[in-house]
Every structure is written in structure tokens, then in C-alpha cells.
Amino acid sequence: VIASYRPGDRIREGVEVLSIEDGLVELSNAGEVEYLSISEIPVELSANDVFYPDLVAELNLSGSMDDGMLLPPGPEYTIKSETYAWATPRTIALLRDAIHEYAKGHHVPKVHIGDISRRGGGPFKPHISHQEGRDVDIAYVLHDRRVRFGVATTGTLDRKHTWALLQALLDTHAVTYVFLDYEVQRLLYEHALADGMTPEQLEPLFQFPYGRRAAQGLIRHWKGHRDHFHVRFSAP
């Protein structure tokens, strides 16, 4: 046992345990409420296992599938298939931190996570990539919350929350590419402009409006991405 905590205990400066119940630990972190998932059975945690790395200083997370890990459950997202939700520890930390930032908005919809990699990595048909635990499929946020991995159209896409989620991922500064249908790019680009961003701010991010074959932006068109977008995190 490294340490034991009860509600009201302080973990470190600015971080306090608020409650422990229903499989969740509720924390106050610099005035923001955070949640950690816990198991029904005792588990051993190391610094690299902490779900929100900002609770531990100077983490050195592995970017290798040699010590790949399964994306653990969380209150802010769902996992399509645990069989295909293996990733590097670094990818897990980046993904969960981005989702946590997105979830700071009031009453935001849950994030739906699709394929990442198989246990141990390697070929994963029908995907070309998804072999190294760095590629993550994520559903668009749709107006109909009952639909998961539905096709994004002018009528179905929740532009506000999809753009907020995409921004949180890009703000990790660890994204190499986002593969996203060109027509959906247009919808999000127009929303971002209406939300106050300038064309100059959006130029390094979007391929739109330069054409779906243009070598422009982190966000690129790729066929087959009308019902989800694909995030590739950089290697460490």
C-alpha cells in the first residue's frame, strides 16, 4: 500500500478527494471536479497507470505496444469493443486527457470510441493502420444521442460538440493527422468561422477549402470517414 485516502483527504496541493462511491472517485482539482474509474476488486496502480496524468508530475509514458494497455472504462466515454481498444500508455493518457478537457463543458454528450488496435498491435483488417496503438476511431457527435457511429450530414451532425471534441484532441499538440470526410470538414470549418475563429487560424488545421487531394492541414479527407473520424497520435 503506497497511500490510503478517504473523502476529505488531500492528495496534493489543490487536489482533494470529494467522494468514493458507485465505482467512481470524485476529486476536486484546482476547483474543477474530476472523476477516476475504480474497480470492484483491489488494483495496483503505478504512476503510469494514473488516469489523469496531471495528478502525477513528470510522467514518462511509453509509446510502445510492448507494454500496451487496454483503454479502461470511464464516465465520459463508451468503448465500442474492448477487444480492439488496446493502445500505448501514451496514447491512452493523451486520449483520456483530451476527452476530460472536452467534458469540462456543461452537459456534453459522451464520446464514443471505436477501433484502436488489437492486443500487442500488428495487422488489423480491414484497417491499413491501427497497428501501433496510435490510431483511434471516434464517432462524430450527432444530434440524436441514441445513434452511435451514424453518418454525419448537414442535418445529423452536432457541429458544436464535434468541433469542441476535435479542438480538445488538437490541443494535445500530439496529433499527426485527423482523417475526416471532406464534406464534414466543410461543416466544421463553417461552424468554427461562425464561432469566432479566423481563416488564418484555421488554415494550419483544415484541408478545406483547398480540395480533398490538397496536402494541407492536419485534418485530411479519407474515404470511409462519414460515420467516424480517425485520430493519429504522434510517436514520442
Side-chain angles (χ1 to χ4, degrees):
V1 176
I2 299 173
S4 297
Y5 298 100
R6 294 183 175 86
D9 289 349
R10 188 176 70 170
I11 296 177
R12 63 172 172 79
E13 186 65 33
V15 179
E16 180 181 327
V17 178
L18 297 179
S19 66
I20 304 172
E21 59 182 327
D22 297 329
L24 293 176
V25 178
E26 185 180 32
L27 301 172
S28 172
N29 185 2
E32 297 283 347
V33 176
E34 297 186 352
Y35 299 92
L36 302 182
S37 300
I38 59 174
S39 173
E40 293 179 355
I41 60 175
V43 293
E44 180 178 328
L45 297 177
S46 68
N48 288 352
D49 295 324
V50 173
F51 297 136
Y52 295 123
D54 62 340
L55 300 181
V56 176
E58 299 179 358
L59 288 183
N60 183 22
L61 296 173
S62 168
S64 169
M65 284 299 285
D66 290 342
D67 50 354
M69 57 186 292
L70 181 65
L71 175 64
E76 301 156 342
Y77 57 87
T78 66
I79 301 170
K80 185 176 181 181
S81 172
E82 290 190 356
T83 303
Y84 306 127
W86 289 82
T88 69
R90 181 173 182 270
T91 295
I92 294 290
L94 290 167
L95 178 62
R96 288 180 62 108
D97 275 2
I99 293 174
H100 180 56
E101 284 300 312
Y102 158 78
K104 285 182 178 179
H106 296 294
H107 307 297
V108 297
K110 277 192 174 185
V111 177
H112 302 301
I113 305 297
D115 292 342
I116 306 179
S117 288
R118 301 171 63 185
R119 184 171 187 172
F124 181 8
K125 294 181 179 180
H127 300 291
I128 297 174
S129 56
H130 289 273
Q131 298 192 36
E132 300 175 343
R134 297 194 291 119
D135 299 281
V136 184
D137 286 344
I138 303 175
Y140 295 111
V141 184
L142 304 178
H143 290 302
D144 188 342
R145 305 294 187 235
R146 299 169 298 177
V147 178
R148 301 180 184 182
F149 295 92
V151 173
T153 67
T154 301
T156 64
L157 182 67
D158 183 335
R159 297 164 175 78
K160 175 183 176 181
H161 288 110
T162 299
W163 175 235
L165 174 58
L166 193 54
Q167 280 186 299
L169 290 159
L170 294 171
D171 284 346
T172 64
H173 302 292
V175 171
T176 302
Y177 286 112
V178 177
F179 299 122
L180 192 154
D181 184 87
Y182 194 74
E183 177 59 22
V184 182
Q185 283 191 51
R186 180 184 68 81
L187 297 175
L188 294 175
Y189 183 93
E190 291 174 351
H191 172 80
L193 284 178
D195 199 40
M197 296 194 72
T198 66
E200 291 74 22
Q201 289 174 312
L202 296 177
E203 185 172 8
L205 303 180
F206 280 89
Q207 183 184 45
F208 182 88
Y210 297 97
R212 63 185 64 207
R213 295 184 180 179
Q216 165 70 32
L218 289 175
I219 302 169
R220 303 286 181 94
H221 171 76
W222 195 282
K223 183 180 178 181
H225 289 83
R226 289 301 298 268
D227 61 354
H228 71 280
F229 62 94
H230 176 134
V231 177
R232 171 167 293 175
F233 288 103
S234 61

